[in-house]
Structure formats: C-alpha cells, structure tokens
Amino acid sequence: MNDYYLTCMYSKQKRTKKRRKTVSNETYNLVYETCQKCVLCGTQNNLQLHHVKYRSERSDLIDTPSNCLMLCINCHNKVHSNKRYWQPILLEICERI
C-alpha cells in the first residue's frame, strides 16, 4: 500500500468515529461515595459506573448521579448481555438508594 492510500483510510476513519461523552469525575465520585460496592453482588473489586437509562436512550441523563450505579465488571457484562431483563431491576434499585 502506498502512503496516499493509508492517509485516505486514516482520514476516513477519523471523520466517522464518534466520540462518546463520558461522565464527569464529580458524578463518578458522588456515585462511588454513595455505594462503594457492586449493587448486585456486593464486591468492592473492579467497579464500573453503569447508566441505568442508557446513553443511547437518554443522553441528557449521562451526568446525572440518580441514573448511575456501581457494578463490578462481571455484573456489568451480565447486565449488558440482557438489558431488557436487568433495566427494570436496576431502576428499582436506583429508587431505593
């Protein structure tokens, strides 16, 4: 491949790549202070922030602590593998916290 071809491929990929908005450090810290363990299994290891109402559905809630929960990486993967099942359960947990 020549340099021109590689440059065109790179430029095309760069333009089409979407940048995801991430949650602020303030929101992450507030959610972590509220619950320093996974809300499903209780572990304190490998915690990640989970948006209960997904960013694709409600991007306006991305930085809202009441829409976020802490999940360990294993539970986070489990939740994302079956969103329809887990979302109502996590919404209920959000209301209790």
Side-chain angles (χ1 to χ4, degrees):
M1 287 187 219
N2 62 29
D3 291 336
Y4 176 74
Y5 180 76
L6 290 174
T7 303
C8 289
M9 282 180 48
Y10 176 75
S11 297
K12 191 174 186 179
Q13 288 174 347
K14 193 173 181 180
R15 277 190 303 236
T16 58
K17 188 176 181 181
K18 289 183 179 180
R19 183 179 174 154
R20 291 171 43 177
K21 185 178 177 188
T22 58
V23 68
S24 72
N25 286 340
E26 290 175 34
T27 300
Y28 181 88
N29 291 336
L30 183 62
V31 174
Y32 182 77
E33 288 172 16
T34 303
C35 189
Q36 297 179 5
K37 60 184 179 180
C38 174
V39 297
L40 294 179
C41 72
T43 188
Q44 295 178 328
N45 300 323
N46 300 315
L47 295 176
Q48 298 178 339
L49 190 82
H50 173 71
H51 294 90
V52 179
K53 294 178 184 165
Y54 296 102
R55 292 184 288 189
S56 58
E57 298 169 1
R58 294 288 309 268
S59 60
D60 58 316
L61 295 177
I62 190 167
D63 220 19
T64 307
S66 62
N67 184 46
C68 299
L69 293 172
M70 297 306 288
L71 296 174
C72 70
I73 192 166
N74 293 332
C75 290
H76 203 188
N77 289 334
K78 184 177 8 176
V79 165
H80 278 280
S81 70
N82 193 348
K83 295 177 182 182
R84 287 186 184 165
Y85 174 79
W86 285 104
Q87 191 170 26
I89 295 168
L90 294 176
L91 284 169
E92 185 179 317
I93 292 172
C94 269
E95 290 174 9
R96 286 189 278 150
I97 294 178

